[in-house]
Amino acid sequence: MATLRWCDDDGRPLPVTPIDTVPAPVGSDRSIWRYRAVLPVPFADAVSLGEGGTPLLPGPDGTLLKCDYISPSGSFKDRGASVLVSELCRSGVTEFFLDSSGNAGAAMAMYAAAAGLRCEILVPAATPHAKTAQARAHGARVTPIDGDRAAVADEARSRAATRAYASHNWQPTFLHGTKTLAYELWEQLGGVPDHVVLPVGYGSSLLGCALGFEELRRAGVIARPPRLHAAQAAACAPLHRAHRAGADEVEPVVAAPTSAGAVAAGAPVRGRSMLTALRSTGGTTAAVEEPDIEDHRTRLAHAGFHVEPSSAVAAAGAAALRAEGAIGADDTVAANDSDTVTPVPVLESDLSLTKTANIAEPATGTNVVFTITVANAGPSTATGVVVQDLLPSGFTYVSDTP
């Protein structure tokens, strides 16, 4: 099996090099490949499922919401997966592996299926089956590894010496996909917002936005980037702790239980780069507690936005930053001549699962049989435990029985 370079000679992440080209959106196609001039893979080699081009809509408090949860796999990570899988195909890779138990695994599995590549995903042995259902539906081989998320990452790195390791956290090509968030905000707003608030775990949305806005600045299209802010769950907030302490490195933490599992990254591999992204743009961080996450998720749901708790971290973080004065009450979208409040949470859904209990109004903690409908894959049935009500209509979130 072919190997793939994923770190430098000292074991550090490979650098991410900006592409110095004047952006020229092409045609009416609303996918990320509209920005093909600034992507590192030729358009002729693109593996695309229509990712990108997501709406920017006002949320319940006037905050603009970049709704990436309507992406093909249900996550903004489709942007990075499209570009990374395209690069793998161009390089002659026919099979690869990565470590992920959530959205990145689902996205990479979907694009591997589209490209005809074989994909294996290493996950912690305790990962609920529902978290890997979408990846399995797309034909990925899901391999359980004993230990926590850090142990799985260690195992992945040990296997990378003999196999193609297509980690979304280590491969810089992935960030060239997520940078299209910045290009779309620029095009949709006719400029850049004052603030962008992102839910951050390993940081691919934060680092992608930093890269995209820097390329726009270098091209002379914008005068300055917006302030980039990182929102984290207080249960696992290593970036927040490092930034607020003025540290130069992000020290690992042990994650406490949190509903926002998709951003619970205790040891982000590009921590120093994330600190630079925040500080170079004048941004900061917020760490939000579980009740605030649930409150903002419910507010979004009642306004018509069906997102996972990790996405609600961004909305809760924006509210916290307003409360402390990091975001001004009168901040407006730059060069857009509007009164729109401009911190922009990027929303992602948890594996694009629509979960519906097959009984009316079950009590929290009740064992139920429910149907899971996975985007592009159809329904399956599982047994689970009701966690909490999502909507007054009786829809509920559930989790696999431990």
Side-chain angles (χ1 to χ4, degrees), residues 2 19 32 43 58 79-80 101 103 113 168 175 186 190 192 197 223 267 270 273 293 326 340 374:
I19 296 176
I32 65 169
F43 180 59
R79 299 171 182 272
S101 60
N103 295 332
H168 62 293
L175 298 179
W186 160 69
V192 296
V197 181
R270 294 184 183 269
S273 296
I293 296 171
T340 307
V374 184

Side-chain angles (χ1 to χ4, degrees), residues 165-203:
Y165 182 34
S167 168
H168 62 293
N169 298 319
W170 290 87
Q171 291 292 344
T173 304
F174 194 90
L175 298 179
H176 280 286
T178 60
K179 78 182 181 184
T180 58
L181 283 165
Y183 282 90
E184 287 184 14
L185 289 173
W186 160 69
E187 190 175 8
Q188 287 171 314
L189 295 172
V192 296
D194 295 318
H195 305 271
V196 177
V197 181
L198 299 146
V200 171
Y202 283 101

Side-chain angles (χ1 to χ4, degrees), residues 51 56 59 102 122 159 214 279 328 347:
E51 61 292 324
L56 185 65
L122 308 187
R159 298 187 183 198
E214 174 60 14
R279 293 167 180 171
L347 305 179

Side-chain angles (χ1 to χ4, degrees), residues 21-108:
T21 300
V22 176
V26 176
S28 59
D29 180 10
R30 304 307 304 179
S31 84
I32 65 169
W33 295 94
R34 175 176 175 77
Y35 309 104
R36 64 195 66 167
V38 293
L39 293 177
V41 180
F43 180 59
D45 296 322
V47 178
S48 177
L49 294 169
E51 61 292 324
T54 54
L56 185 65
L57 303 174
D61 62 354
T63 298
L64 291 175
L65 306 177
K66 186 73 169 121
C67 299
D68 265 31
Y69 64 90
I70 66 170
S71 301
S73 81
S75 167
F76 80 92
K77 290 187 173 72
D78 289 354
R79 299 171 182 272
S82 176
V83 180
L84 179 52
V85 171
S86 298
E87 176 63 23
L88 295 177
C89 290
R90 193 168 74 108
S91 301
V93 172
T94 58
E95 58 183 291
F96 64 88
F97 81 101
L98 69 152
D99 51 312
S100 169
S101 60
N103 295 332
M108 290 295 287

Side-chain angles (χ1 to χ4, degrees), residues 81-360:
S82 176
V83 180
L84 179 52
V85 171
S86 298
E87 176 63 23
L88 295 177
C89 290
R90 193 168 74 108
S91 301
V93 172
T94 58
E95 58 183 291
F96 64 88
F97 81 101
L98 69 152
D99 51 312
S100 169
S101 60
N103 295 332
M108 290 295 287
M110 176 179 280
Y111 284 82
L117 305 185
R118 292 185 295 277
C119 171
E120 180 183 12
I121 304 172
L122 308 187
V123 304
T127 301
H129 186 274
K131 289 285 286 183
T132 58
Q134 186 173 0
R136 295 176 192 272
H138 292 304
R141 183 167 77 252
V142 177
T143 302
I145 302 295
D146 290 336
D148 60 12
R149 185 67 179 82
V152 176
D154 290 341
E155 176 63 22
R157 289 192 290 270
S158 72
R159 298 187 183 198
T162 58
R163 302 179 59 194
Y165 182 34
S167 168
H168 62 293
N169 298 319
W170 290 87
Q171 291 292 344
T173 304
F174 194 90
L175 298 179
H176 280 286
T178 60
K179 78 182 181 184
T180 58
L181 283 165
Y183 282 90
E184 287 184 14
L185 289 173
W186 160 69
E187 190 175 8
Q188 287 171 314
L189 295 172
V192 296
D194 295 318
H195 305 271
V196 177
V197 181
L198 299 146
V200 171
Y202 283 101
S204 55
S205 61
L206 171 63
L207 294 172
C209 278
L211 175 63
F213 284 121
E214 174 60 14
E215 288 182 351
L216 287 167
R217 188 196 66 78
R218 289 163 66 128
V221 176
I222 63 174
R224 59 168 181 80
R227 291 179 175 87
L228 300 179
H229 305 291
Q232 297 197 290
C236 186
L239 179 63
H240 172 74
R241 179 183 297 183
H243 176 69
R244 294 291 178 131
D248 294 328
E249 298 286 349
V250 176
E251 297 298 329
V253 303
V254 176
T258 174
S259 61
V263 294
V269 299
R270 294 184 183 269
R272 181 185 283 267
S273 296
M274 288 195 287
L275 288 170
T276 299
L278 296 173
R279 293 167 180 171
S280 65
T281 63
T284 187
T285 59
V288 295
E289 301 291 344
E290 296 300 300
D292 293 321
I293 296 171
E294 173 57 20
D295 176 60
H296 283 275
R297 187 181 66 84
T298 300
R299 291 185 190 185
L300 289 168
H302 289 178
F305 299 94
H306 182 186
V307 304
E308 69 171 19
S310 297
S311 296
V313 166
L321 293 172
R322 287 194 198 97
E324 72 173 51
I327 295 175
D330 297 327
D331 284 354
T332 56
V333 177
N336 199 39
D337 295 331
S338 79
D339 296 324
T340 307
V341 181
T342 59
V344 184
V346 176
L347 305 179
E348 63 180 76
S349 73
D350 186 10
L351 300 182
S352 191
L353 301 182
T354 302
K355 312 179 185 73
T356 309
N358 289 338
I359 58 178

